[in-house]
Amino acid sequence: GAVVSQHPSRVICKSGTSVKIECRSLDFQATTMFWYRQFPKQSLMLMATSNEGSKATYEQGVEKDKFLINHASLTLSTLTVTSAHPEDSSFYICSARDLRGASGELFFGEGSRLTVL
Amino acid sequence: AQRVTQPEKLLSVFKGAPVELKCNYSYSGSPELFWYVQYSRQRLQLLLRHISRESIKGFTADLNKGETSFHLKKPFAQEEDSAMYYCALSGGSNYKLTFGKGTLLTVNP
């Protein structure tokens, strides 16, 4: 299957700093990527839909100025957590849809664990 | 609004026993339902989708629109089936998924 890669897999930062997480589709182009957040022992919560060449679409309750999403190319979307605080500590997962096949299956990255001190 | 409910957080069965992971959904239109699996220390991956109507690793799931359910079943569980299972719903063509809270399946020897 297709491969979606996230970097970094783990990041620790100080409160008040900004952190960028990358999501890449390695062997296919993705016009749309999705960013999820997962709290411990809880489900994945969709944060936003990242659209190549246009603004991201944020879910209700997600601060767009806090979580900046840029989808500058067909293989890369970035999530920047600005002025991070301890409550932003979480597991962030991206996914991308491979349209080459008939199923248009979604493939997930391995996730990025953010810890804000 | 889309909603997916997985009533069981934990499910434990013995090897060879049948297993059923429950999933109910709420959606006003025609949904597309999925089961995703996450094995220990691995990423989330698609197990099966209702439109495929196929069996993957011995698992099947039938969409019951009357009961708004999409339960995952396997007649004989194996130890390697131990994982976290998420039911998910997509209500549109943009593939935006709504996930249930997941069920941790443990298959004991």
Side-chain angles (χ1 to χ4, degrees), chain A residues 50-75:
Chain A
S50 174
N51 305 299
E52 188 269 334
S54 64
K55 291 183 179 180
T57 306
Y58 289 83
E59 295 300 301
Q60 191 173 9
V62 178
E63 298 176 63
K64 60 180 180 181
D65 294 330
K66 173 76 171 175
F67 299 99
L68 300 179
I69 292 173
N70 183 276
H71 195 152
S73 77
L74 287 170
T75 60

Side-chain angles (χ1 to χ4, degrees), chain A residues 37-52:
Chain A
R37 183 174 180 176
Q38 186 176 32
F39 292 101
K41 300 186 179 180
Q42 294 192 32
S43 187
L44 288 78
M45 181 193 77
L46 180 65
M47 297 174 65
T49 303
S50 174
N51 305 299
E52 188 269 334

Side-chain angles (χ1 to χ4, degrees), chain A residues 3-5 32 34 36 38 41-44 46 49 59 91 97 103-106 108-110, chain B residues 9 32 36 38 41-46 49 84 86 93-102:
Chain A
V3 179
V4 174
S5 178
T32 303
F34 302 92
Y36 291 85
Q38 186 176 32
K41 300 186 179 180
Q42 294 192 32
S43 187
L44 288 78
L46 180 65
T49 303
E59 295 300 301
F91 197 56
R97 187 177 179 191
S103 64
E105 183 178 337
L106 268 179
F108 286 80
E110 60 269 60
Chain B
K9 280 188 177 180
E32 189 169 355
Y36 282 85
Q38 188 169 28
R41 300 183 185 277
Q42 295 188 28
R43 68 187 68 196
L44 202 63
Q45 57 185 289
L46 178 66
R49 51 196 295 179
M84 192 73 172
Y86 293 95
S93 58
N94 65 0
Y95 244 73
K96 193 165 72 170
L97 290 176
T98 298
F99 284 87
K101 292 188 175 182

Side-chain angles (χ1 to χ4, degrees), chain B residues 39-100:
Chain B
Y39 300 102
S40 179
R41 300 183 185 277
Q42 295 188 28
R43 68 187 68 196
L44 202 63
Q45 57 185 289
L46 178 66
L47 180 62
L48 54 81
R49 51 196 295 179
H50 89 268
I51 61 172
S52 300
R53 302 184 68 82
E54 56 189 348
S55 173
I56 304 293
K57 298 183 179 182
F59 285 97
T60 58
D62 291 316
L63 178 61
N64 186 322
K65 292 186 177 180
E67 296 182 358
T68 59
S69 68
F70 188 56
H71 303 326
L72 183 68
K73 301 177 184 179
K74 184 169 182 175
F76 308 103
Q78 303 299 314
E79 288 180 67
E80 55 265 29
D81 296 328
S82 297
M84 192 73 172
Y85 291 82
Y86 293 95
C87 182
L89 177 155
S90 173
S93 58
N94 65 0
Y95 244 73
K96 193 165 72 170
L97 290 176
T98 298
F99 284 87

